[in-house]
Amino acid sequence: MAEATELMNEATGLTFEELEHWMGEHQIPRYRARQVWHWMYRKTVREWDAMRNLSAELRAQLAGEFRLRPAECRALEGISGETRKMLVGLADGEAVEAVLIPAADRVTVCVSSQVGCRFRCAFCASGQMGVSRNLTPGEMVGEVLLAIDQIGAHPDNVVFMGMGEPLDNYDALLKALRILNDGEGLAIGARRMTISTCGWVPGIERLKAEGLQVELSVSLHAPDDDLRSRLMPVNRRYPLASLMAACGDYSRVTGRIVTFEYTLIRGLNDRPDQAQAVVRWVRSIGGRVNLIPLSPVPEFSGEAPTPAAVEAFRTVLERGGINTTVRRSKGSEISAACGQLRRRVCGARGDAP
Ligand code: SAH
């Protein structure tokens, strides 16, 4: 896989301390860093020239050194007030997806962490194209800023559930989390950020030791190793017993309840006895479940579950004492499943238009 190519330094990839350090190195008073930071993250301006309390000279110097917005909105699907999907263009011509999900009392932004994905889950459009590169911290923070442009407010939650496997881009992810979390900037609380993983156990083990309180969401999708390995090749390397042990540790060390995502596929993983097996796994570590009806994709022959099967599955989980939600995928008409918008706009192999 090619590493992310930083064509130019990304302002949104700097921590506050790094920005302050840059000011010091250039004989610029350090308080300027605070001013720039506030323009970037409180006023979320899109141009250096909008930073009116800086001298023209300093603005030009910053513009010569840093790209203020390393991500741009290339296409937007959906209507205001409902789930909207954004195609995010990157400086080297690549593109990823970000999704805005408004609810009654909050707005969630779903961001991508890689261009494509190397884990090749059978039903996921992003995995079909492989991975071409990691996103930089600045690009991930840039996705959130683009969402803010659209929403006109700061998001309440940020979930790393777009394209890519966030724990496979670990260092950049952690840096992005720290920048998003900065109290003088976007100030998104750790508990309001969720990392979704296909079950990359080494990443879960690292994350639990960071002293962060981010939420962990694990894509489960099957309650036995045979089926899970067929749907999710990562299971061959880290089967259910090792995954669940890592999730239990994560929960104990961080005090967070782990959420398990379970995409229901008709006749494959939506039977009541399978729900019962999910209860046993999830109860063993005190987790909860989010059921997602499959959003059909052309490369995968599976179909969405019937509404009755979804209800029956949910009932078994709830009777087993598992806190369960069902994600109503309002978005299938706007290519909501992972990777679908990018493929439609960019072509089957994900080529840039
Ligand atoms: N790599 C991470 C995050 C990206 S995928 C992970 O695996 O968790 C985000 C979620 O969408 C995962 O739970 C994934 O399994 C699910 N997903 C992908 N394609 C889907 C589809 N066609 N229908 C329903 N859910 C899908």
Side-chain angles (χ1 to χ4, degrees), residues 117 123-125 160-166 196-198 217 219 221 232 261 263 292-297 327 337-338 340:
C117 184
F123 46 81
C124 177
F160 289 81
M161 256 183 217
M163 297 170 69
E165 167 53 42
S196 182
T197 178
C198 63
S217 195
S219 296
H221 307 328
M232 306 179 72
E261 308 282 323
T263 294
I292 315 165
L294 177 78
S295 183
V297 293
R327 193 191 297 167
C338 209
Q340 289 182 44

Side-chain angles (χ1 to χ4, degrees), residues 330-346:
K330 272 193 283 189
S332 46
E333 67 281 3
I334 63 152
S335 0
C338 209
Q340 289 182 44
L341 173 65
R342 177 181 192 269
R343 191 182 39 193
R344 222 184 49 233
V345 178
C346 300

Side-chain angles (χ1 to χ4, degrees), residues 275-328:
Q276 201 57 58
V278 171
V279 168
R280 287 193 291 275
W281 280 120
V282 173
R283 201 159 49 189
S284 72
I285 70 132
R288 60 182 161 228
V289 172
N290 186 17
L291 296 174
I292 315 165
L294 177 78
S295 183
V297 293
E299 299 86 350
F300 179 64
S301 60
E303 290 168 41
T306 64
V310 177
E311 272 319 300
F313 205 92
R314 182 229 283 269
T315 303
V316 174
L317 295 183
E318 284 178 344
R319 289 206 180 125
I322 306 295
N323 192 330
T324 308
T325 49
V326 179
R327 193 191 297 167
R328 310 260 166 230

